[in-house]
Amino acid sequence: MTDYPQSLPQKSKKPRPHGIFYWALVREFASTGLLVSSILLGIVVFTQLIRLLGESVSGMLAVDGVLAMLGFTSLNYLPVLLSISLFLSVLLTLSRSYRDSEMVVWFTSGIGLTRWIRPVLGYAIPVTLLIALLSLVLSPWALSKADEFKRRLDSRDDVSAATPGVFRESKQADRVFFLEDVDSQKKRVGNIFVQSTQNGKEGTMVAKEGYQETAPNGDRFLVMLNGTRYEGIPGRADFRIVEFERYAMRIEPAELREDLPHLQAFSTLYLLQNPTAWNLSELEWRIGLPLSALILSLLAIPLSYVNPRAGRSLNLIAAMVIYMFYNNMISVTNSWVARGKISPSAGLLGIHLLMFGVMLVLFYHRSSASSWRRLKR
């Protein structure tokens, strides 16, 4: 009689618990956050572009510096924009789950409110690390480069800084330039208009073309060709009209300014090495941005509750009020630290511990209310 080997019972692989729940939420958080951050960044870029173009038209900023300044300014705003988009993405996603009754399904499946912390942290921690990198490293670097770039633009001579088609006053306030065409590579200009004051007399020069010339001693001149000079006031006896083939006008050299950078442009390492009151307040702001972003992402879980019988926008209004209070209190504590009213440790930890406590209270309130409703049913 042949004995057949009996097959041993195999252990069935259990699916990872709530894996679908986790990854579905993370994907929805990411897609909503990408959409919100793109909209906010587009608004900031558009408003800053209008401001920079206005400065360029008025002669305060050169045309070739608009795009560079726009990039530096946008990079400076990114930490705040990412913090707002992180908060809104969690809030809007969970609010939609309440409105579409998905929360009821998850709650009846045994997933309580605290089980939402893990997927929210899985999405929020990488974004918070990016905010910390931007706040502590990249934003100060962008502001320092923006200050340096603007100083170089302001330190250019009058002809190099002139914008084609725009009247521009010299830095000595004794000449007004108008250049219709500027070729910086060939150092030639076309259709020149210059109004200047020399020896108490006003003069106006008009030339069809000209070029820049450098003397052996280093002095630079704007040489105008085939032009006309008008001296004095028309109608008076001393009014003269002089035609010239070549007229050289000296370009006053501009000094490179050595202005101190703004406090926001100092590196984080410099702030740590020089712990003054103002430096500590700036350091507190940079560290507070990622901390507040992480706390707000968790705070959005209980704030996303939507009561079907009440207005659907009440939770959004309450969330915006809490966000504005949190952000304003961070600014207030920063100013208190800078003025020496409170210690840096109290300014850094006080408001964040307060909001962390508010988050715990809201979690307890929502969890207790949900458990009571389930028990009552």
Side-chain angles (χ1 to χ4, degrees):
M1 187 174 180
T2 307
D3 294 334
Y4 293 97
Q6 296 180 358
S7 58
L8 297 176
Q10 297 181 356
K11 295 182 179 180
S12 60
K13 295 183 179 180
K14 294 182 180 180
R16 190 174 181 180
H18 308 301
I20 299 177
F21 163 75
Y22 178 87
W23 290 111
L25 274 180
V26 170
R27 283 195 298 268
E28 190 168 359
F29 288 152
S31 60
T32 306
L34 183 62
L35 177 62
V36 173
S37 59
S38 300
I39 294 174
L40 294 177
L41 183 61
I43 295 173
V44 170
V45 169
F46 182 72
T47 54
Q48 292 300 314
L49 180 61
I50 292 177
R51 181 181 66 83
L52 293 174
L53 288 177
E55 293 181 0
S56 176
V57 170
S58 62
M60 298 173 59
L61 179 66
V63 177
D64 51 356
V66 171
L67 291 180
M69 293 297 297
L70 181 62
F72 292 140
T73 306
S74 302
L75 189 60
N76 179 42
Y77 281 103
L78 266 182
V80 179
L81 297 182
L82 286 178
S83 177
I84 298 174
S85 63
L86 175 62
F87 177 59
L88 288 179
S89 60
V90 177
L91 183 69
L92 294 176
T93 300
L94 298 185
S95 296
R96 183 204 58 78
S97 299
Y98 273 107
R99 288 194 300 267
D100 296 345
S101 300
E102 289 184 11
M103 282 292 191
V104 178
V105 177
W106 293 118
F107 286 156
T108 54
S109 301
I111 298 179
L113 194 64
T114 56
R115 297 291 297 273
W116 297 80
I117 296 177
R118 184 171 174 267
V120 169
L121 287 180
Y123 163 67
I125 288 178
V127 180
T128 303
L129 293 177
L130 179 59
I131 294 174
L133 177 63
L134 289 168
S135 176
L136 297 174
V137 180
L138 297 182
S139 291
W141 173 83
L143 286 176
S144 63
K145 289 298 181 181
D147 289 343
E148 180 183 354
F149 187 74
K150 197 168 184 178
R151 284 198 304 270
R152 289 184 178 181
L153 290 178
D154 293 340
S155 301
R156 297 191 303 179
D157 57 70
D158 297 327
V159 177
S160 300
T163 303
V166 177
F167 286 92
R168 184 180 180 88
E169 187 178 10
S170 65
K171 294 180 175 62
Q172 290 77 21
D174 59 349
R175 295 173 183 171
V176 176
F177 290 87
F178 179 85
L179 308 177
E180 185 176 346
D181 185 20
V182 177
D183 191 346
S184 58
Q185 295 181 352
K186 297 181 180 180
K187 296 184 178 181
R188 298 189 68 87
V189 293
N191 293 335
I192 309 167
F193 171 87
V194 180
Q195 185 179 15
S196 61
T197 302
Q198 297 178 356
N199 299 325
K201 295 183 179 181
E202 293 185 357
T204 303
M205 288 178 287
V206 180
K208 294 182 179 180
E209 62 176 343
Y211 60 91
Q212 299 183 47
E213 184 180 66
T214 304
N217 61 353
D219 292 342
R220 299 183 62 193
F221 294 88
L222 175 62
V223 180
M224 291 176 284
L225 306 175
N226 302 322
T228 306
R229 177 177 175 83
Y230 305 90
E231 291 185 357
I233 300 176
R236 292 189 178 182
D238 58 350
F239 180 72
R240 295 193 306 168
I241 300 177
V242 180
E243 295 184 355
F244 57 85
E245 294 182 357
R246 186 178 185 274
Y247 186 95
M249 183 175 60
R250 187 173 182 270
I251 301 174
E252 297 294 335
E255 298 180 357
L256 184 62
R257 298 186 306 166
E258 294 294 338
D259 296 341
L260 291 176
H262 295 91
L263 182 62
Q264 293 82 4
F266 287 119
S267 65
T268 303
L269 181 61
Y270 176 84
L271 297 180
L272 290 173
Q273 293 175 349
N274 300 272
T276 62
W278 288 99
N279 290 348
L280 289 176
S281 67
E282 174 62 24
L283 187 62
E284 178 190 340
W285 168 259
R286 297 181 187 181
I287 298 176
L289 272 178
L291 282 178
S292 63
L294 187 60
I295 293 175
L296 283 170
S297 63
L298 295 175
L299 193 59
I301 299 176
L303 287 176
S304 61
Y305 171 76
V306 176
N307 187 358
R309 297 182 179 181
R312 295 186 174 184
S313 301
L314 290 179
N315 67 319
L316 296 178
I317 296 175
M320 289 297 101
V321 170
I322 292 177
Y323 175 83
M324 292 172 61
F325 170 79
Y326 194 3
N327 192 46
N328 290 333
M329 285 305 299
I330 292 176
S331 301
V332 170
T333 53
N334 287 345
S335 64
W336 287 348
V337 171
R339 296 174 183 176
K341 293 184 177 181
I342 59 175
S343 63
S345 58
L348 177 61
L349 299 177
I351 183 62
H352 300 296
L353 289 178
L354 174 63
M355 297 306 298
F356 188 79
V358 172
M359 180 195 68
L360 294 179
V361 170
L362 289 177
F363 260 104
Y364 176 77
H365 173 69
R366 293 302 179 195
S367 299
S368 301
S370 299
S371 301
W372 173 253
R373 280 192 294 268
R374 289 197 298 267
L375 182 61
K376 189 176 180 180
R377 289 175 184 175

